[in-house]
């Protein structure tokens, strides 16, 4: 019953081409590609997945080097617990007067 978010990331070099407008577009397409693999090859239920793009705004490394740019071109899979179930596990919360 967990949801997942697949985040696509890019380096800070602007993309150019007819099939993508910019790095935002590239990052979302990167995430969507992973979501499709999870659905088609690993049978993850589509309604449990979110494809999100972060563009170049959360770098892991310095974009000033080829190695850093390579690390920034990535996808990350985030496990998102259902908060209603999480709060049920905690039980009732006592309120101090």
């Amino acid at each position: 019953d967990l949801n997942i978010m697949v985040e696509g990331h890019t380096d800070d070099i602007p993309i150019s081409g007819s099939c993508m407008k910019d790095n935002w577009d590239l990052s979302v397409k990167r995430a969507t590609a992973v979501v499709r693999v999870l659905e088609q090859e690993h049978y993850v239920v589509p309604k449990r997945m979110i494809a999100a793009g972060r563009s170049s705004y959360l770098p892991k490394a310095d974009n000033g080097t080829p190695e850093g740019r390579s690390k920034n071109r990535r996808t990350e899979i985030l496990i998102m617990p259902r908060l209603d179930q999480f709060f049920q596990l905690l039980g009732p919360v006592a309120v101090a007067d």
Side-chain angles (χ1 to χ4, degrees), residues 5-72:
M5 179 171 18
V6 179
E7 288 184 345
H9 299 265
T10 67
D11 58 29
D12 66 351
I13 297 175
I15 186 89
S16 61
S18 61
C19 67
M20 282 178 261
K21 183 176 179 176
D22 55 21
N23 282 14
W24 277 110
D25 198 16
L26 174 60
S27 65
V28 173
K29 288 182 186 297
R30 188 170 277 161
T32 303
V34 172
V35 163
R36 290 187 199 285
V37 168
L38 291 172
E39 176 190 10
Q40 295 169 2
E41 297 181 20
H42 300 284
Y43 311 105
V44 177
V45 179
K47 71 179 182 179
R48 300 234 180 261
M49 295 187 285
I50 300 166
R54 295 286 205 151
S55 189
S56 61
Y57 298 107
L58 287 174
K60 292 272 187 191
D62 180 10
N63 277 307
T65 67
E67 295 81 14
R69 287 190 298 276
S70 178
K71 289 179 183 177
N72 292 331

